[in-house]
Every structure is written in C-alpha cells, then in structure tokens.
Amino acid sequence: MINKLNFADNRKQDNSGDKNSGNGGSNKKNDDFDWSKIIKTVFSWGAVIIAAVIVMQLWRGGSSGTAEITFDVYQQLLEGDEILEGKIVKSDINDYTFEGTLVKEKSLNVNNTWVKTDKFTVTLVEPILQEQVKIWKEKNVKYTFIKNSNEWLNIILGFLPWVLIIGVWFLIMRRMQGGGSGSSSRGLFNFGKSKAKLINESQIKFTFKDVAGADEAKLELQEIIEFLREPSKFRKLGGKIPRGVLLLGPPGTGKTLLARAVAGEAGVPFFSISGADFVEMFVGVGASRVRDLFDQGKRNAPCIIFIDEIDAVGRHRGAGLGGGHDEREQTLNQLLVEMDGFEQNSGVIIIAATNRPDVLDPALLRPGRFDRQVVVDRPDVNGREGILKVHTRKIPLDIDVDLKVLAKGTPGLAGADLANLANEAALLAARKNKTKVSMEDFEEAKDKVMMGMERKSLIISEEEKKVTSYHEIGHVLVARMIPEADPVHKVTIIPRGRALGVTTYLPVDEKHTYSKEYLEAMITYALGGRAAEKLIFNKFTTGAGNDIEKATGIARKMVCEWGMSEKLGPLSYGNKEEEIFLGREITKHKDYSDRTAEMIDDEIKDIITRCMQRADKILADNIEILHRLSLELLEREILDSEEIDKIIRGEELPPIKKTNGKTDSSVSNSSDIPDHVKELLEKRKNKENGNNNEKIDGENNTIG
C-alpha cells in the first residue's frame, strides 16, 4: 500500500503575555469589558438604597400604638372634643399628616378593626387645612407645624431613577467609543480599528537559532534585518528598503516562525495579524482596518507587519459568480494602495505568508509590493537533523539516540511534523516512567506519526489477516525485485490509522525529479498487493482500492502532464483542476477532441495493464519467497528491511517466544498452502529442470 502522508500545519506560537496588544499598544492583558462588575455595582447600590428607604419608612411609621384613621372618624373625634393636641407634618406636595393625641384611650375603627389607642394619624389635604386650623382654635386643640426633615430623601428618591439611567447610558457610550477598561480597538463603534497584536522586543522573542532547515530563506531574510538595523548604509548607495516579503511553502515548514525570528533578530516592533481578521460583516471594515494597521506601523517605524494566510484577502479580484466589488476586494484594494501609494511607508516592512501562492492576485506579486518571494520548502536530511536538534534541546536524550538516523528515516516531514515527533517520543517515555528518551521511543513515535496509531482493539478474523499479510508482502516482494523502486523500510499487518496493513518505503536519496522507469516502478509495486491476492486466493478485495487510485493518478499524470506516452507525445492535455470562484472559469475547459480522450484512456489503461502483468510475473517467479515472507509476517506482525533480506536469501530468522512460554519457528506447515499454489510450485520445479519455458510462463500468467 502506498501512503502519501499530508501533515497539518502546527506552527509554533508565541504564548507570551502580550502586554502590548491591540491598537497601538494597550497595556491591558485582557481588553474585554467586564459587564459583570457594572451589573454587580448597580444592583448592590440599588439594594442598599431600597433597604434604606424601607428602614426610613418603618422609622417614620411610628410605634404600633398609632392608628391610621379616616377623615370621617377624625371629624367625629374633633366634634366630640376628644382630641387633646396634634402635630402637622407635610407628607407630600399638597398633603399633610395630622398626628393627634386623644384625651384618653378609646377604641377606634381601623380598616374594620377596632383598636384601643390614644394616638392616631390622618391625612389632610391643603385646601381644607386652613378651615381645620380655625376649628382647632375654637376647640382649644393644641397644634404645631413640624418641618419634615425627610424631604431630602424624597427628592433623592425622585431623582434616583434618572441618575441610574444617565449613569448606565454614560458607561455604554464610553464602551462604544473604546473608553474605560478596554483598549481603543475594542469599542462597539471602533470595529474599524486593527486587531493586530504588537509584540515588543521586551517580550519573549525568537531568533535564527530557533529556526533550522531553512538556510536559504534565512540568508534571504538577513538582508531585511540589516535594512532595519542600519538603513543609512543602504540609502547612501541609493538602495531602497523593500516593501514586502512573501513567504511561500507547504503547511508546517516554519513560515510564521521565520517572520518572528526576523523581528527578534532586528529588535523592532512586530505586528501580527491574520488575513481573516480584516473582513467582517460590516461594509468597509476591512479597508478601515488596513488603514489603521499601517497608521500604527508608521507610528512605530521601523517595524514589521506580519500578515498570516494572506490568501484570505489576497485572492484574485473579480472572483465568484458575476464578479462584484465585494468587501474582500475593497480590503485588497486598500492593501495595494497602502503598499504602493503616494505616501512612502519608510521603515515599514510587510511580511506575508501563504501556502496557496497560485490563487493570489497578480497585483500583489508585482515588484514594488512584494519584492521578495522566499520559498520555504520541506527540509532535506541535514535540515531535518537540525530541526530535531532544535526541538530536542530541552528533552533528556539517552545515549543510543542518533538524530542523523532519525532524519534519514523521516523523508518528506516538515518542521511541525518533526516537532510533533519529538513531543510524541517524550510523551511515550513519560508513560513508561523513564528518566530519558531512548531511540526506541523515537522509533515508536515515528511509526505513530508516519503510519498512524496502533488499533490493537480491532478484531480481525484469521482469514482476513492472512489476506492482508499476502497483500502487504506482495508490495514488498515486487518493490524488492525492481531495481528502480525505493527500498522497503518496514511492513506491518498491525492496523494503523485507517489501514489494516502498512508498507513503508525509504528513499535512498532526496528526489526532486522522477524518471519514467521510477514512476512505472511505483505503479508496479502499488499493484503488487492486488496481484498477490489474485495469485494466492484467486479473488479480489477492497484492500487494493487506495493502491489502484494512486496508480491511476500517476499513470494519468504521465500521459497528460509529463509527456511520457509515445503515442500521444510531449503534449499537455487538459488544464489542471483548480478551485472555482477564483476568477477563473467554473466549467471545465476541454482542449482536446473526443478521439484524443479515447487515446488518453487507452494509454493509461495500457500503462496500468503492463505494470500489473509485470507484478504478476514477479510474484509468480518468486512464489516460494512470497509464501515464506507472508507466513513470517503472520507470525511476527512486523518485518523490517534486514529480516526481509534474510528471508529472501533463504536464512532462518530466530524463533519467537510465544505468550505460553514455548518457542516456535515462524515457518508454517505445508498444509496451509492452497492447492493451486502447490501446483504452481511443482511447475516451478519442472521449469528449473529444463521444461518448455514459454509453456510454463503462459500457465503462470493464467493461474489464480
């Protein structure tokens, strides 16, 4: 099985405190407005005021011996000369309270209840107060007017709702305008402010010592650092500081880390923002944020502005159905103007990163904007060794750890993948309660990263396990017998990831171009598993689905892109399939005739058929080795390259200690061999004795 592994981007992030983040350097670590404090404060003061009012009302209410009577009962008491004296207190604007004392205790009707008391209160309105004063004088009732000492409380209670409303409105307006505890970029009405994070040199910084495997990129960026450190050196000779640097490369190769290292080496402020942070639901927000970002950069010049994943706003203009001047295009237009407008942004360098340079607008890539395009590719052997040294600085390594061997055994892995490998090895060692990380842990971590996690709990029948064993050995044996193929590194039938078995190949050296012979060899050993299933079991399974897909893809590219077909010649057929809505045509463009399409299909089929026949012949000629290897793989579940070579040479492997304590050789009995395979072995012996070669070859090709 051929497995092309694509690894996710695992960029190293700066998790420092970001004291100076946001717009121009707010010193707040967290710019979020804490509404809970405001709500708690309002409710706390409200509860205090309400409690105070209740206490005052209870205090003003007097003792339990005072009865509140109606005006009719008051008139009866007044006419009967039963009131001795009274106090008049103003209770409202037009209302007064008469607090009277009787000559002697009497039962009074209070809310249909008779209460015996000598004190009472009654409410008197202002129009009749003068008449009552005359009656009091005639009846010789002593009365006094008392100034209400609680009038201020009534005034405060009247104004309190308005004060609360004005206070809440004031806090909301300050929040909208970015005031208060939040930074100026966090206000509700300040959504046009940039969200770029400012990283000062006082914070944790990266240098080129933390970057390995990208020597050419570091040399290219060294000039940027010299520009920032000593710009006068270049200005004397008429040199201008570059406007922008575009970092191109697959995910996980260290583009973000390189940008941070440049900022650390130069010792200048470093603004970091993602391309997706520019565009939101409001019209014109993206362009406004671009303007604000460059304004911040000018205030902090010389500085570096790093835009990660610039393809989010830098795609081809006029994209989508019918094109249109949408929000993303406005943002891109403003970015182009800021980078190459009338104003000279001296001291501001833009570093952008993307893994999709093919979708960027051509206006971004022209000289004067992104002057430098630095390719950050996957590291070679020496680069991988350097990356492993960087990521194992803080890991206690055992004496047997050889980073050079690990680097050779991890072709195609990016920096993030190697960082993940070192971390997985440390975690595995910690699970085993080790004090140091050994080579065994690194090998186990490598298998986990490159082939997937072991699925030991997966239940597989013996028949399916046997089919898987022969399938994987088919790959191994075909690859071993073809000189152009990559050497087999390891084969296993332990389920890993989504595969029941995995065969890994280890290139001898780094390849950048591929010959026709090498590609045909890849197709041949990819189909080796299917050929083994057909030869041994005389049936096909779905296990070869991925192999057929990979083989067909290689054959199609050989014919349509690389001109490796003699019939069709060195021509390119069909445009490369690209994503829609990128300013290109939505429908597929067919630039060849139907007759040519038939020829392409025939040629692809011919390549696949020829490679399949070659795989069948190799396995049929080496049927004994195929059977021995498969049985050994069934017993041991894992075979490395040395063990495979020993079996091919006819040497016996050391016995395996089984769980019951007995030892047993891994070679199975002849009864496990299918009948048609036994017939094929007999014919092989006859071939060696000098029988008709053509006849035997024809039979070998038809068996199974």
Side-chain angles (χ1 to χ4, degrees):
M1 181 180 290
I2 298 177
N3 292 322
K4 289 189 177 180
L5 306 175
N6 297 320
F7 300 94
D9 190 2
N10 188 16
R11 298 181 177 88
K12 188 175 181 181
Q13 301 290 335
D14 183 11
N15 296 323
S16 59
D18 289 342
K19 293 182 179 180
N20 300 312
S21 61
N23 183 23
S26 172
N27 292 325
K28 301 287 184 182
K29 183 177 180 179
N30 186 8
D31 292 336
D32 292 334
F33 192 77
D34 195 357
W35 282 101
S36 61
K37 286 186 179 180
I38 300 297
I39 294 172
K40 288 179 182 178
T41 303
V42 171
F43 277 99
S44 301
W45 281 104
V48 170
I49 293 172
I50 292 172
V53 171
I54 293 173
V55 171
M56 293 298 298
Q57 291 294 331
L58 292 175
W59 178 73
R60 294 175 60 192
S63 63
S64 60
T66 303
E68 185 175 356
I69 61 177
T70 61
F71 187 76
D72 295 336
V73 176
Y74 159 76
Q75 283 185 325
Q76 293 176 4
L77 294 174
L78 185 61
E79 292 175 356
D81 296 330
E82 297 181 11
I83 301 175
L84 180 62
E85 60 182 3
K87 300 177 182 178
I88 300 93
V89 182
K90 190 174 183 180
S91 59
D92 206 345
I93 298 175
N94 296 318
D95 294 336
Y96 292 85
T97 301
F98 181 82
E99 299 176 358
T101 304
L102 299 177
V103 177
K104 61 179 180 180
E105 289 187 351
K106 186 178 180 180
S107 296
L108 302 175
N109 188 2
V110 180
N111 296 328
N112 297 324
T113 304
W114 293 94
V115 179
K116 192 174 182 181
T117 182
D118 61 345
K119 295 182 179 181
F120 68 92
T121 59
V122 65
T123 302
L124 302 176
V125 296
E126 189 175 5
I128 66 172
L129 185 62
Q130 298 298 329
E131 297 177 1
Q132 295 298 315
V133 170
K134 294 178 181 180
I135 297 173
W136 293 339
K137 290 180 180 180
E138 293 176 357
K139 298 289 185 180
N140 293 323
V141 177
K142 298 178 182 179
Y143 63 92
T144 56
F145 285 90
I146 300 175
K147 187 177 181 182
N148 191 1
S149 60
N150 297 321
E151 289 183 0
W152 62 271
L153 183 61
N154 295 328
I155 296 173
I156 291 175
L157 291 177
F159 278 102
L160 182 61
W162 297 102
V163 172
L164 292 176
I165 292 172
I166 293 171
V168 173
W169 176 81
F170 180 73
L171 290 172
I172 292 175
M173 292 304 297
R174 287 193 66 192
R175 176 59 182 159
M176 287 178 175
Q177 296 175 2
S181 62
S183 75
S184 59
S185 65
R186 306 291 292 183
L188 183 61
F189 290 158
N190 284 333
F191 44 75
K193 300 293 184 181
S194 173
K195 293 183 177 181
K197 296 179 180 179
L198 175 61
I199 303 173
N200 287 327
E201 52 183 312
S202 59
Q203 296 176 329
I204 300 174
K205 60 182 182 180
F206 294 89
T207 63
F208 280 161
K209 294 181 180 178
D210 303 308
V211 182
D215 297 334
E216 292 81 5
K218 288 196 290 186
L219 288 174
E220 189 75 17
L221 294 171
Q222 187 67 37
E223 189 175 342
I224 306 296
I225 297 171
E226 294 181 5
F227 264 121
L228 293 170
R229 284 179 176 175
E230 196 177 354
S232 60
K233 172 181 168 183
F234 298 91
R235 290 173 182 171
K236 288 178 181 179
L237 300 175
K240 296 181 180 179
I241 190 169
R243 298 290 182 89
V245 178
L246 185 62
L247 302 178
L248 313 174
T253 51
K255 298 183 292 294
T256 305
L257 185 61
L258 265 173
R260 291 181 180 270
V262 171
E265 290 284 342
V268 297
F270 180 79
F271 289 92
S272 177
I273 191 172
S274 172
D277 289 335
F278 288 109
V279 182
E280 287 191 7
M281 62 178 287
F282 302 105
V283 177
V285 170
S288 176
R289 288 178 175 174
V290 170
R291 288 191 293 268
D292 186 69
L293 175 62
F294 277 84
D295 288 340
Q296 294 179 41
K298 293 173 188 175
R299 290 195 297 266
N300 292 273
C303 70
I304 293 175
I305 297 177
F306 176 61
I307 305 175
D308 201 6
E309 306 297 343
I310 195 174
D311 54 279
V313 294
R315 289 176 178 258
H316 285 270
R317 286 172 290 182
L321 287 171
H325 195 68
D326 60 3
E327 178 66 11
R328 183 187 55 76
E329 289 189 11
Q330 291 188 35
T331 306
L332 176 58
N333 291 337
Q334 187 63 44
L335 182 62
L336 297 176
V337 171
E338 292 290 342
M339 291 189 67
D340 192 25
F342 287 102
E343 297 183 7
Q344 297 294 323
N345 300 321
S346 61
V348 180
I349 295 178
I350 314 295
I351 298 180
T354 181
N355 50 22
R356 295 292 308 277
D358 55 315
V359 303
L360 295 179
D361 194 275
L364 268 177
L365 305 178
R366 76 159 179 82
R369 291 192 175 120
F370 283 102
D371 301 277
R372 311 287 177 87
Q373 296 183 20
V374 180
V375 179
V376 187
D377 209 347
R378 299 184 184 275
D380 55 6
V381 177
N382 297 327
R384 292 195 297 270
E385 184 181 355
I387 293 172
L388 287 172
K389 288 180 180 178
V390 170
H391 292 297
T392 54
R393 286 176 183 171
K394 300 181 180 180
I395 298 177
L397 302 178
D398 207 347
I399 253 178
D400 62 340
V401 176
D402 192 348
L403 297 180
K404 186 174 288 186
V405 174
L406 283 174
K408 290 181 179 178
T410 52
L413 266 64
D417 306 320
L418 296 172
N420 186 33
L421 188 149
N423 183 56
E424 288 289 344
L427 294 177
L428 289 172
R431 290 177 194 170
K432 300 174 184 177
N433 297 321
K434 294 183 177 180
T435 57
K436 293 184 178 180
V437 183
S438 63
M439 193 67 178
E440 181 185 355
D441 300 322
F442 276 103
E443 287 291 337
E444 190 175 349
K446 185 177 71 173
D447 292 344
K448 183 179 179 180
V449 170
M450 298 182 69
M451 295 187 293
M453 186 73 180
E454 287 188 13
R455 298 164 63 192
K456 296 181 179 179
S457 60
L458 187 64
I459 300 175
I460 305 173
S461 64
E462 290 297 325
E463 182 65 24
E464 193 172 10
K465 197 173 181 180
K466 184 181 288 186
V467 173
T468 305
S469 175
Y470 276 98
H471 180 100
E472 298 301 327
I473 292 300
H475 293 308
V476 172
L477 190 55
V478 172
R480 183 65 176 77
M481 296 301 173
I482 298 178
E484 298 86 6
D486 291 326
V488 178
H489 175 61
K490 186 183 294 184
V491 58
T492 177
I493 56 172
I494 300 175
R496 287 183 176 271
R498 292 180 294 177
L500 295 178
V502 180
T503 303
T504 58
Y505 308 89
L506 209 60
V508 178
D509 53 359
E510 302 287 334
K511 288 185 175 65
H512 304 285
T513 58
Y514 305 99
S515 63
K516 182 180 179 181
E517 292 76 17
Y518 177 77
L519 294 173
E520 289 181 348
M522 288 181 65
I523 298 174
T524 304
Y525 65 69
L527 298 173
R530 186 177 185 271
E533 292 178 5
K534 176 186 175 184
L535 180 64
I536 302 298
F537 302 100
N538 198 23
K539 63 180 181 181
F540 299 117
T541 65
T542 58
N546 184 257
D547 303 327
I548 295 173
E549 181 182 354
K550 299 290 185 181
T552 306
I554 295 173
R556 183 171 297 278
K557 288 183 178 180
M558 288 175 63
V559 175
C560 298
E561 296 182 23
W562 300 328
M564 295 182 178
S565 171
E566 294 181 359
K567 292 182 180 179
L568 296 171
L571 296 177
S572 176
Y573 298 95
N575 295 327
K576 295 182 180 179
E577 295 184 0
E578 296 175 350
E579 302 289 337
I580 62 174
F581 306 131
L582 298 179
R584 298 181 173 86
E585 298 181 7
I586 299 175
T587 59
K588 291 185 177 180
H589 181 66
K590 189 176 180 181
D591 55 0
Y592 51 86
S593 64
D594 294 338
R595 182 171 175 270
T596 304
E598 293 179 0
M599 292 176 65
I600 291 172
D601 293 339
D602 293 339
E603 192 68 11
I604 294 172
K605 185 178 180 181
D606 182 65
I607 293 174
I608 298 295
T609 305
R610 190 168 64 252
C611 293
M612 186 67 190
Q613 292 175 353
R614 186 182 181 187
D616 289 335
K617 187 176 186 307
I618 291 174
L619 294 179
D621 292 342
N622 301 275
I623 186 68
E624 298 176 359
I625 301 175
L626 174 66
H627 193 65
R628 271 202 315 271
L629 284 170
S630 302
L631 297 179
E632 287 285 354
L633 185 60
L634 276 172
E635 289 289 329
R636 302 175 183 270
E637 293 186 335
I638 296 177
L639 292 176
D640 57 20
S641 58
E642 294 182 1
E643 292 173 337
I644 293 170
D645 291 339
K646 285 184 179 180
I647 297 172
I648 292 175
R649 291 195 300 266
E651 300 176 9
E652 294 289 335
L653 298 181
I656 310 171
K657 290 185 178 181
K658 296 187 176 182
T659 55
N660 57 5
K662 297 179 180 181
T663 59
D664 190 14
S665 174
S666 53
V667 180
S668 178
N669 296 326
S670 60
S671 59
D672 296 333
I673 304 176
D675 294 336
H676 66 281
V677 176
K678 291 180 179 179
E679 295 177 3
L680 187 61
L681 290 174
E682 293 178 359
K683 292 177 181 181
R684 283 281 298 148
K685 292 179 180 178
N686 295 332
K687 180 182 176 181
E688 294 175 356
N689 293 330
N691 288 338
N692 190 353
N693 293 334
E694 295 181 357
K695 182 180 178 180
I696 299 297
D697 289 340
E699 292 176 352
N700 287 337
N701 290 330
T702 57
I703 290 178

